[in-house]
Amino acid sequence: MTFRVIDTETCCLDAGVVEIASLDLSETGISNVMSDLVNPGRPIGLDAMAIHHITEEMVADKPRIARVIGRYQGSAYYVAHNAAFDGRMLPEMNGAWICTLKLARKLYPGIKYGNQYLRYALNLQVTPPAGLYPHRALYDFYVTAALLMKIQQDSGWSAEEMVAISNEATLLSSLKFGKYRGQPLAQIALQDPDYLHWLLANLRDLSADLRYSLNFYPNGADSAEQTHAASPAGE
């Protein structure tokens, strides 16, 4: 069985691919490594540039995503760390998505779940290409591939089980933006439940996990410590 581990870098949080890279992972190891810089047809945000260091000059003469996406298609399984994001950036993919972020949250509770944090917390053996660095797609997918191998080893989950877990709604523990950024959702629900209702009513581009969490916490405001079938995910 082959998994296509894939990663993108973008102009901003919600659009404009500037880099795409993938590798195929199977029982025999890593193969079919591919990467492309992409002209997004729009400015690259400074916040994004400060993370991945891909400049507008680097992509000025590169093709648009529609010209290169075909060679990344054709896999039964795509793997990404936060697959909801990469899947939204790559709607042309027809395979099932596996999210190593959600798998790690379920398998390794109580830690942080950034790719680089997990690399060291789980002692992943990673040998990315020389001269690259974290937050470049051609670097990050090596970490994701090593994480997937570790998850398979520790869990014994089949591909179908990993897809099912990846599709489960995750109860998030804190808010990542806005006036309560970084604060526990349970606490916000107790102090200002109307704010969570306002987010639901006014923000359309919410992830499925965040929408699920915003719906849950106001309803649980009278008992923030109640047990729920979906355990809050650590940050």
Side-chain angles (χ1 to χ4, degrees):
M1 181 174 295
T2 299
F3 301 94
R4 182 154 294 169
V5 182
I6 198 162
D7 190 64
T8 58
E9 302 298 336
T10 59
C11 290
C12 56
L13 291 176
D14 59 1
V17 173
V18 296
E19 185 182 28
I20 180 173
S22 75
L23 59 79
D24 288 350
L25 181 65
S26 66
E27 294 85 353
T28 59
I30 291 172
S31 62
N32 194 30
V33 178
M34 301 184 288
S35 70
D36 286 283
L37 288 173
V38 175
N39 186 328
R42 68 184 71 188
I44 302 175
L46 291 176
D47 287 341
M49 207 180 300
I51 293 171
H52 53 54
H53 305 292
I54 297 173
T55 66
E56 293 181 359
E57 291 75 16
M58 291 170 63
V59 300
D61 62 346
K62 301 303 181 183
R64 299 293 179 88
I65 187 67
R67 295 281 300 275
V68 302
I69 194 64
R71 68 196 193 107
Y72 295 89
Q73 295 173 325
S75 179
Y77 298 102
Y78 290 95
V79 180
H81 198 67
N82 192 5
F85 176 82
D86 291 282
R88 192 167 71 250
M89 295 300 102
L90 303 171
E92 304 90 344
M93 303 307 186
N94 295 319
W97 283 89
I98 292 172
C99 181
T100 52
L101 174 60
K102 285 196 171 185
L103 298 180
R105 282 173 169 165
K106 189 175 187 72
L107 189 59
Y108 310 114
I111 61 174
K112 296 180 181 179
Y113 300 100
N115 229 10
Q116 292 301 313
Y117 185 96
L118 289 168
R119 173 184 180 179
Y120 296 108
L122 301 177
N123 194 29
L124 303 179
Q125 302 303 304
V126 182
T127 307
L132 289 176
Y133 40 82
H135 301 297
R136 283 292 303 269
L138 188 55
Y139 184 107
D140 287 350
F141 69 15
Y142 280 94
V143 180
T144 302
L147 177 58
L148 178 65
M149 288 189 286
K150 174 68 171 172
I151 288 170
Q152 289 181 292
Q153 173 187 325
D154 290 349
S155 70
W157 290 328
S158 67
E160 291 74 17
E161 287 173 315
M162 291 191 291
V163 170
I165 294 167
S166 299
N167 288 329
E168 291 176 357
T170 298
L171 186 60
L172 304 177
S173 62
S174 64
L175 199 59
K176 292 291 190 181
F177 60 90
K179 66 178 182 178
Y180 294 116
R181 181 177 181 178
Q183 295 191 28
L185 279 164
Q187 179 179 322
I188 301 168
L190 288 170
Q191 297 177 348
D192 191 359
D194 288 344
Y195 181 69
L196 301 188
H197 289 300
W198 183 89
L199 291 177
L200 279 168
N202 291 277
L203 300 187
R204 296 183 179 181
D205 194 25
L206 296 173
S207 69
D209 291 341
L210 183 53
R211 186 171 295 278
Y212 170 74
S213 302
L214 292 175
N215 274 304
F216 168 74
Y217 279 108
N219 297 326
D222 291 335
S223 179
E225 296 181 355
Q226 66 180 300
T227 302
H228 191 266
S231 300
E235 305 303 321

